[in-house]
């Protein structure tokens, strides 16, 4: 690796750290879903009903080829209500501590698509295969997606 390439990566990491700190100010670390008994849904209209799960998986022989997936289920019935995927080429390399900058664009596209095209199926809660506040800087992929997806 050339020195200029190394400096470019260092500069990118610094910019991403600044962006993580900026976004971290919008992080909500407390939710009121947990204050109601989740087994008795009649007590609260504010309990999550639609649960989404998102992840990105990579091709074993081509690490730039990725598939982002969103699945939404009904918490009461566990029926799958919505599923979508997006095949993408991610040219940004994996850099430890900055996974969100590589994977969040495809995941956010999938979330925005369900919200726009099927708002009645938009998830109340999204499970993310990635760190949240347990990230070394307290703002991993789960936080990143949560803040940007509102």
């Amino acid at each position: 690796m050339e020195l200029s390439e190394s400096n470019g990566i260092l500069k990118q990491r610094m910019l991403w750290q600044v962006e993580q700190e900026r976004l971290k100010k919008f992080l909500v670390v407390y939710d009121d879903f947990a204050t109601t008994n989740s087994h008795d849904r009649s007590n609260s209209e504010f309990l999550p009903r639609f649960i989404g799960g998102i992840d990105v998986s990579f091709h074993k022989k081509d690490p730039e080829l990725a598939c982002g997936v969103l699945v939404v289920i009904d918490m009461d019935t566990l029926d799958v209500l919505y599923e979508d995927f997006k095949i993408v080429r991610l040219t940004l390399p994996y850099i430890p501590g900055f996974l969100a900058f590589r994977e969040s664009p495809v995941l956010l596209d999938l979330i925005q698509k369900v919200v726009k095209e099927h708002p009645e199926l938009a998830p109340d809660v999204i499970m993310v295969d990635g760190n949240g506040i347990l990230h070394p800087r307290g703002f991993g992929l789960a936080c990143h997606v949560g803040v940007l997806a509102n």
Side-chain angles (χ1 to χ4, degrees):
M1 181 183 306
E2 293 181 21
L3 184 59
S4 61
E5 191 175 332
S6 178
N7 285 341
I9 291 172
L10 182 61
K11 182 178 179 182
Q12 187 62 64
R13 285 180 179 210
M14 291 172 59
L15 291 171
W16 283 341
Q17 277 186 278
V18 168
E19 180 65 359
Q20 282 176 326
E21 290 301 319
R22 184 188 74 79
L23 291 173
K24 193 174 179 180
K25 295 174 186 169
F26 300 99
L27 185 62
V28 175
V29 294
Y30 172 80
D31 68 65
D32 56 5
F33 291 140
T35 61
T36 307
N37 181 349
S38 62
H39 299 290
D40 183 7
R41 295 182 57 77
S42 65
N43 284 343
S44 175
E45 63 185 75
F46 300 107
L47 286 175
R49 177 162 178 211
F50 297 152
I51 310 298
I54 55 175
D55 194 10
V56 175
S57 187
F58 293 86
H59 193 280
K60 289 181 181 177
K61 294 182 180 176
D62 183 353
E64 290 184 356
L65 188 60
C67 179
V69 178
L70 166 65
V71 175
V72 179
I73 66 166
D74 183 312
M75 189 165 158
D76 290 336
T77 65
L78 299 182
D79 290 337
V80 174
L81 304 175
Y82 179 88
E83 51 190 298
D84 195 8
F85 69 95
K86 183 175 184 178
I87 305 288
V88 295
R89 185 158 295 279
L90 298 178
T91 57
L92 186 67
Y94 169 70
I95 299 173
F98 300 100
L99 180 67
F101 293 94
R102 182 176 196 207
E103 294 189 3
S104 67
V106 66
L107 298 174
L108 290 164
D109 283 350
L110 290 164
I111 295 167
Q112 290 168 354
K113 183 177 175 185
V114 70
V115 168
K116 181 180 178 185
E117 296 180 8
H118 301 283
E120 72 282 3
L121 299 177
D124 301 310
V125 172
I126 299 175
M127 305 295 289
V128 180
D129 186 12
N131 272 330
I133 60 174
L134 293 179
H135 181 273
R137 284 181 299 284
F139 196 82
L141 176 63
C143 295
H144 199 102
V145 168
V147 167
L148 293 178
N150 195 23

